[in-house]
Amino acid sequence: MKNTNLIPPSLLSCLITSVLFIQSAVAQNQATEKITRIGNLEWDLHEVTVATVKIYAEKTGFVSSGEREGGSFIYESGWTRKSQWNWRQPFGIEAKNNEPAVHLNFHEAKAICSFFGKRLPTDSEWTSAAFLEQRITPTQPFTKGKRYTYPHGDTPKNSHCLNGCAGLKGTAPSGSLWRGHGHVPVMTTQAGVNGLYDMGGNAWEWVDTAIGSEKVTRGASWWYGPKNQLESNLASKSPDTKVAYVGFRCVRDVQ
């Protein structure tokens, strides 16, 4: 008996080509961040990188507000716009792909997460992941169920901050900053609570929680001392803020 359910070879070839094309497109749209699962969320292990924002820009034609306006900001003796400082050139020179993407405002960060099927964490999600160790078998010296003072543990010594921390030199060219040395590439410091990198220090991170008309940022940065990394330090900024020491990481809801 003739099998009428067989797919014609020409149609089968077309279907295979379509599937491969879709798979290729999905792969090209994948972010570069390494990930880990904490509870019902899949977390970026580290801050969103320049490499990932390049993918977003190539796919969407994205031009950041800092680029359009000829430069983003740093705080010196007041807010100072720096010519040609943006996520591509955070300190006036081209960034390496593994540097955290900064100089992006809240709306831009949120859109980038969304493009990759993710979102910004809320403040409660961020603080839970940053301070409460939830791994079944955490690496030393962490203990399951313990709430830590800093995202790096009992002390901030392994973080990248202004003074009294890991003592790392950032990527900013000599003489470009009057304070600090800029951020370091992602995963340069030791992993902290829940195996996450730089939840304390390196770059502030946008979270999707509001205080009045402003949005919360967490974790502090290379420009600030360790006290700004504390859970009690609830900082907020205008969602239009774009500055050299604010970045972000994304999360994805999972079952």
Side-chain angles (χ1 to χ4, degrees), residues 176-206:
S176 62
L177 297 169
W178 71 280
R179 174 185 173 104
H181 303 284
H183 57 237
V184 294
V186 299
M187 301 181 77
T188 296
T189 62
Q190 293 183 31
V193 176
N194 291 309
L196 298 171
Y197 289 82
D198 293 319
M199 293 287 270
N202 213 32
W204 287 100
E205 298 181 8
W206 289 112

Side-chain angles (χ1 to χ4, degrees), residues 213-235:
S213 62
E214 298 192 332
K215 290 292 185 178
V216 171
T217 55
R218 280 288 185 177
S221 74
W222 56 267
W223 203 88
Y224 290 84
K227 70 177 183 179
N228 294 81
Q229 298 178 21
L230 296 172
E231 186 172 3
S232 59
N233 187 273
L234 185 62

Side-chain angles (χ1 to χ4, degrees), residues 25-63:
V26 169
Q28 290 176 10
N29 286 348
Q30 287 180 342
T32 66
E33 284 64 52
K34 298 179 185 298
I35 57 175
T36 190
R37 180 165 177 166
I38 305 171
N40 292 326
L41 289 178
E42 188 178 84
W43 280 81
D44 290 349
L45 270 176
H46 53 79
E47 292 149 345
V48 170
T49 63
V50 168
T52 288
V53 183
K54 282 182 179 178
I55 295 170
Y56 176 69
E58 288 166 2
K59 296 294 181 181
T60 66
F62 169 68
V63 178

Side-chain angles (χ1 to χ4, degrees), residues 23 56 77 79 102 105 111 117 130 134 141 173 177 189 203 217 231 242 249 251:
Q23 289 177 337
Y56 176 69
S77 296
W79 289 110
V102 295
N105 66 35
Q134 299 168 54
L177 297 169
T189 62
T217 55
E231 186 172 3
K242 45 189 177 288
R249 79 182 68 211
V251 298

